[in-house]
Amino acid sequence: MGGGDAYETGWSRGGTRHGPLFAGAGRVKFFRKLNQSKYLLLLFLPCLVYYVLFKYLPMFGLVISFKDYNLFKGVWASPWAGFKYYRMFFESPDFLKLFRNTFLLGISNVVFGFPMPVILALCMNELKHVLFKRFVQTVSYMPHFISNVVVAGMVIMFLSPTTGLIAHLVKSLGLRPVNFLVQPEWFRPIYVLSDIWHHAGWGSIIYLAALTGIDPQLYEAAEIDGASRWKQLWNVTLPGIMPAMVIMLILNIGHVIDIGFEKAFLLMNPATYDSADIFSTFVYRMGLTLGNYSYGTAVDLFTGIVSLIFIYITNHVSRRVGETSLW
């Protein structure tokens, strides 16, 4: 067969497919799969639009961190400043304090907050009464749907030294109530505990789903071998949900530096700045309150880059040690 004939039929002399016929077949296969998945793609479309509009398009605004941004001149007419604002931030006396506060708060969230959904899911998995199990699941999920503003308001009300629930309990014991909200050393425990109450139930859904994927025959085999419930937990249940745990741990570590702004801002006050002021609250204060948009954007981009580095390192370690990773 000649070279031209081979090209027309889509086969090369070495047996490799190429040419317009193969390209056409590939397009037909692509559109066939597209047609088969059209309803799934329609379900995915709102999520795609959300991320494009609110996550990816705003990334073009990061260019102002390299400019002396002027609100009246606009982004492109403002003069370039290079790494001026990054140098300002790294040389600022606030840098080490902000990094320490953010890292300690984020790592506390991971150390104390990450195991709680796992423990809650394991406890609910052991419940045999179906109605009671559903009741516990519903009660534990509900706090997730409460906004951060309401949660912060509830925390402030409960910890009020005069009318709060904790103050009444302390007074009933004959002790003097403490105003926890103005004690810098209490900010992190309050933040972490309120976050656990807020999201532990919702986070347990992933592990409950992973538990349903464990083969019941494994438990039957372990029971025949004489394994107690505790040994079944360690040798069957935990290995079964370990991939989900690793993925969630990687994602949680990615948020060690990139902590949400709302709850920290609502719970902090001038008395707790030494331990409560983190990168996100600093960005709000510099960018929106003081109008230094370039400086605030530079700090925000720095936190995003550090979070990406944390995720990459954690994923690399997970891939080298085990078989589970994000990529």
Side-chain angles (χ1 to χ4, degrees), residues 116-129:
M116 294 310 297
V118 180
I119 296 172
L120 184 60
L122 293 175
C123 291
M124 286 193 288
N125 188 57
E126 295 298 321
L127 295 177
K128 302 303 180 184
H129 197 284

Side-chain angles (χ1 to χ4, degrees), residues 78-132:
S78 300
W80 288 96
F83 293 96
K84 169 186 173 181
Y85 294 102
Y86 293 94
R87 289 195 299 267
M88 285 176 57
F89 178 56
F90 294 143
E91 295 172 359
S92 169
D94 294 324
F95 173 73
L96 290 178
K97 183 189 73 172
L98 291 170
F99 192 90
R100 181 197 65 208
N101 291 345
T102 308
F103 181 79
L104 289 178
L105 185 60
I107 204 69
S108 299
N109 250 342
V110 172
V111 171
F112 298 103
F114 171 74
M116 294 310 297
V118 180
I119 296 172
L120 184 60
L122 293 175
C123 291
M124 286 193 288
N125 188 57
E126 295 298 321
L127 295 177
K128 302 303 180 184
H129 197 284
V130 178
L131 291 178
F132 181 67

Side-chain angles (χ1 to χ4, degrees), residues 202-211 244 248:
W202 184 257
S204 66
I205 294 177
I206 296 175
Y207 303 110
L208 287 171
L211 286 168
M248 294 306 299

Side-chain angles (χ1 to χ4, degrees), residues 1-13 15-23 25:
M1 183 182 291
D5 295 335
Y7 183 79
E8 290 296 326
T9 57
W11 290 88
S12 68
R13 292 181 178 178
T16 305
R17 297 188 64 178
H18 68 283
L21 290 181
F22 179 65

Side-chain angles (χ1 to χ4, degrees), residues 276-299:
D277 197 18
I278 58 177
F279 284 134
S280 57
T281 56
F282 184 77
V283 168
Y284 168 80
R285 194 163 60 251
M286 289 292 107
L288 297 180
T289 305
L290 300 180
N292 197 341
Y293 300 106
S294 297
Y295 193 20
T297 305
V299 177

Side-chain angles (χ1 to χ4, degrees), residues 208-322:
L208 287 171
L211 286 168
T212 60
I214 300 177
D215 190 350
Q217 294 181 357
L218 296 175
Y219 290 105
E220 296 174 2
E223 191 172 356
I224 293 174
D225 290 339
S228 62
R229 294 297 300 175
W230 184 254
K231 288 185 178 180
Q232 291 178 35
L233 173 67
W234 279 101
N235 296 289
V236 179
T237 306
L238 286 179
I241 64 174
M242 188 59 66
M245 291 174 60
V246 171
I247 296 298
M248 294 306 299
L249 179 61
I250 293 173
L251 295 176
N252 285 347
I253 290 179
H255 291 285
V256 166
I257 296 295
D258 188 17
I259 300 175
F261 158 78
E262 296 89 354
K263 189 181 294 184
F265 178 75
L266 294 168
L267 291 177
M268 70 187 301
N269 56 69
T272 59
Y273 267 173
D274 285 342
S275 62
D277 197 18
I278 58 177
F279 284 134
S280 57
T281 56
F282 184 77
V283 168
Y284 168 80
R285 194 163 60 251
M286 289 292 107
L288 297 180
T289 305
L290 300 180
N292 197 341
Y293 300 106
S294 297
Y295 193 20
T297 305
V299 177
D300 199 38
L301 180 57
F302 167 76
T303 61
I305 293 173
V306 173
S307 299
L308 178 62
I309 293 172
F310 279 5
I311 289 180
Y312 180 82
I313 293 175
T314 309
N315 186 80
H316 179 73
V317 172
S318 175
R319 190 171 65 247
R320 292 292 298 272
V321 174

